[in-house]
Amino acid sequence: MNAAASPTPTACLALADGTLFFGHGFGATGQTEAELCFNTAMTGYQEIMTDPSYAGQVVTFTFPHVGNVGVNPEDDETGDPVASGMVVKWMPTDSSNWRATEHLSGWLAARGRIAIGGVDTRRLTRAIRQAGAPHVALAHNPEGIFDTDALVAAARGFAGLEGMDLAKEVTCAQSYRWDEMRWAWPEGYAPQTAAKHKVVAIDYGAKRNILRCLASAGCDVTVLPATATAEEVMAHAPDGVFLSNGPGDPAATGAYAVPMIQDILGRDVPVFGICLGHQMLALALGAKTIKMNHGHHGANHPVKDLETGKVEITSMNHGFAVDAQTLPDGVVETHTSLFDGSNCGIRVQDKPVYSVQYHPEASPGPQDSYYLFERFAAAMDARSG
């Protein structure tokens, strides 16, 4: 049965250009300002909402059946939702899944996240594609009273993600060990008890399933905060260094991350980066990053491996990209998006250093690219051998 909806709109989404979308609110009440993006994944709304890479963003879901499988603690990618809010076409139904432990609306409300349903998400998605990711204000008021002029002003007052370092807001407060592997039937998340490689993972906003994939590839993982120095990294004597995903402007995070990575690159240690970690590695090598019009957010993005000709269907979530035209000599572009030709991977010639823009751990999405974690493990094998 659909969640109860008043005939009077109880939520309003205001775009900075003055466009207003009215609908029915669920989750928390109140108001939030953020950048608006859209995600085309057909599954995994809980993983998307808890992906730290969505800090500072409200997510429009193009797939209408959001909330139908409820939520459960196992599918969180971090402790609480990080995305500022969500926009959906249909109000969430009662959950119908044996793993569900909670209704989406109650889960959002308990964690202070606002959502709006009953919105023409196709029209909204077209607006984002045509004009770029807008700044918005999202308000939920059960009484249906909105000061729309104030909401538009609030949207226009949002600072935006360019120049914003959000990694410090979502990174871990202190280091910790990780040994949980990928979910498998029937045991669920089993611990890694025979790890072969010591890996330091730099947490710019790491998803749990990335850490699980590292553990499943035979890694004993120690997670360090985004601001960790090269000395702190090397104090763990790692066989490899991993650079995680994360939110915000890579150029802002690079102010402290790039010097650390450049130091690590001089120590002949295998390095693997994903998403923001890919952008951090590119910056450390001398390339530049650019803000995209509306970014890539979904679980069906085709990426071509330029070195093998293979096409992978990938999961993506990024609003910035590495400018392939700025890659220096000795750095090879390895992957590109078949949607728009943007850079999706690099490697350093004659060194075990590489990164990809997409998410090989999926969650949600296809698992075509898990081999990248095994490639990282093989690079550490070769170094130790």
Side-chain angles (χ1 to χ4, degrees), residues 272-358:
F272 175 30
I274 286 175
C275 195
L276 182 61
H278 164 67
Q279 296 160 2
M280 290 297 98
L281 177 61
L283 290 174
L285 292 168
K288 297 185 183 300
T289 56
I290 52 177
K291 182 77 163 69
M292 304 176 77
N293 179 63
H294 56 273
H296 288 165
H297 309 278
N300 59 345
H301 287 245
V303 168
K304 184 173 183 178
D305 185 331
L306 299 178
E307 299 183 307
T308 66
K310 177 184 176 182
V311 174
E312 304 166 33
I313 304 302
T314 71
S315 182
M316 285 198 183
N317 171 24
H318 61 106
F320 292 81
V322 173
D323 184 354
Q325 303 302 314
T326 66
L327 292 174
D329 292 341
V331 179
V332 179
E333 182 175 41
T334 58
H335 299 77
T336 59
S337 166
L338 291 184
F339 278 161
D340 60 13
S342 61
N343 174 264
C344 288
I346 60 174
R347 68 173 175 84
V348 177
Q349 287 180 326
D350 304 320
K351 282 190 175 183
V353 176
Y354 63 99
S355 60
V356 292
Q357 182 63 75
Y358 51 95

Side-chain angles (χ1 to χ4, degrees), residues 13 26 36-51 54 57-68 71 81 83-92 104 107-108 113-126 128 138 297-299 316-317 363-364:
L13 177 70
F26 59 99
L36 183 68
C37 67
F38 66 86
N39 189 298
T40 57
M42 296 175 67
T43 62
Y45 53 81
Q46 182 181 347
E47 291 96 324
I48 291 165
M49 289 299 292
T50 55
D51 179 351
Y54 281 107
Q57 293 180 299
V58 167
V59 183
T60 299
F61 289 84
T62 61
F63 188 68
H65 301 287
V66 173
N68 57 341
V71 293
S84 297
M86 70 189 313
V87 182
V88 298
K89 180 175 178 60
W90 293 337
M91 293 291 284
L104 174 61
W107 180 78
L108 290 170
R113 291 297 183 267
I114 301 170
I116 179 174
V119 171
D120 184 348
T121 52
R122 288 194 176 199
R123 177 188 166 202
L124 188 55
T125 298
R126 284 197 300 270
I128 297 170
L138 174 59
H297 309 278
M316 285 198 183
N317 171 24
S363 289

Side-chain angles (χ1 to χ4, degrees), residues 102-163:
E102 204 170 348
H103 190 283
L104 174 61
S105 182
W107 180 78
L108 290 170
R111 291 156 179 82
R113 291 297 183 267
I114 301 170
I116 179 174
V119 171
D120 184 348
T121 52
R122 288 194 176 199
R123 177 188 166 202
L124 188 55
T125 298
R126 284 197 300 270
I128 297 170
R129 284 183 58 86
Q130 292 168 2
H135 297 173
V136 299
L138 174 59
H140 175 197
N141 181 354
E143 296 181 359
I145 300 172
F146 302 101
D147 183 339
T148 54
D149 289 340
L151 286 175
V152 171
R156 292 173 178 169
F158 178 66
L161 300 186
E162 287 190 80

Side-chain angles (χ1 to χ4, degrees), residues 47-299:
E47 291 96 324
I48 291 165
M49 289 299 292
T50 55
D51 179 351
S53 295
Y54 281 107
Q57 293 180 299
V58 167
V59 183
T60 299
F61 289 84
T62 61
F63 188 68
H65 301 287
V66 173
N68 57 341
V69 295
V71 293
N72 70 84
E74 286 189 331
D75 288 347
D76 286 340
E77 287 298 328
T78 192
D80 282 312
V82 181
S84 297
M86 70 189 313
V87 182
V88 298
K89 180 175 178 60
W90 293 337
M91 293 291 284
T93 60
D94 288 341
S95 57
S96 178
N97 187 278
W98 66 274
R99 296 177 67 233
T101 59
E102 204 170 348
H103 190 283
L104 174 61
S105 182
W107 180 78
L108 290 170
R111 291 156 179 82
R113 291 297 183 267
I114 301 170
I116 179 174
V119 171
D120 184 348
T121 52
R122 288 194 176 199
R123 177 188 166 202
L124 188 55
T125 298
R126 284 197 300 270
I128 297 170
R129 284 183 58 86
Q130 292 168 2
H135 297 173
V136 299
L138 174 59
H140 175 197
N141 181 354
E143 296 181 359
I145 300 172
F146 302 101
D147 183 339
T148 54
D149 289 340
L151 286 175
V152 171
R156 292 173 178 169
F158 178 66
L161 300 186
E162 287 190 80
M164 188 176 292
D165 174 26
L166 294 175
K168 285 182 179 177
E169 297 184 14
V170 298
T171 189
C172 55
Q174 58 187 22
S175 65
Y176 62 93
R177 294 277 300 280
W178 184 277
D179 65 358
E180 187 177 88
M181 296 193 296
R182 294 195 297 170
W183 194 93
W185 177 264
E187 64 269 18
Y189 296 120
Q192 169 60 265
T193 58
K196 295 174 59 180
H197 309 292
K198 292 178 64 177
V199 169
V200 167
I202 307 300
D203 177 16
Y204 300 121
K207 292 172 61 180
R208 290 174 177 171
N209 212 49
I210 288 179
L211 303 179
R212 294 184 187 112
C213 287
L214 288 169
S216 291
C219 301
D220 176 357
V221 183
T222 299
V223 184
L224 296 185
T227 54
T229 64
E231 290 71 25
E232 289 169 336
V233 172
M234 297 309 298
H236 293 273
D239 299 314
V241 175
F242 174 78
L243 310 173
S244 86
N245 65 295
D249 188 337
T253 303
Y256 55 86
V258 163
M260 181 278 289
I261 297 169
Q262 290 174 332
D263 192 321
I264 296 298
L265 291 175
R267 301 183 187 239
D268 193 32
V269 176
V271 176
F272 175 30
I274 286 175
C275 195
L276 182 61
H278 164 67
Q279 296 160 2
M280 290 297 98
L281 177 61
L283 290 174
L285 292 168
K288 297 185 183 300
T289 56
I290 52 177
K291 182 77 163 69
M292 304 176 77
N293 179 63
H294 56 273
H296 288 165
H297 309 278

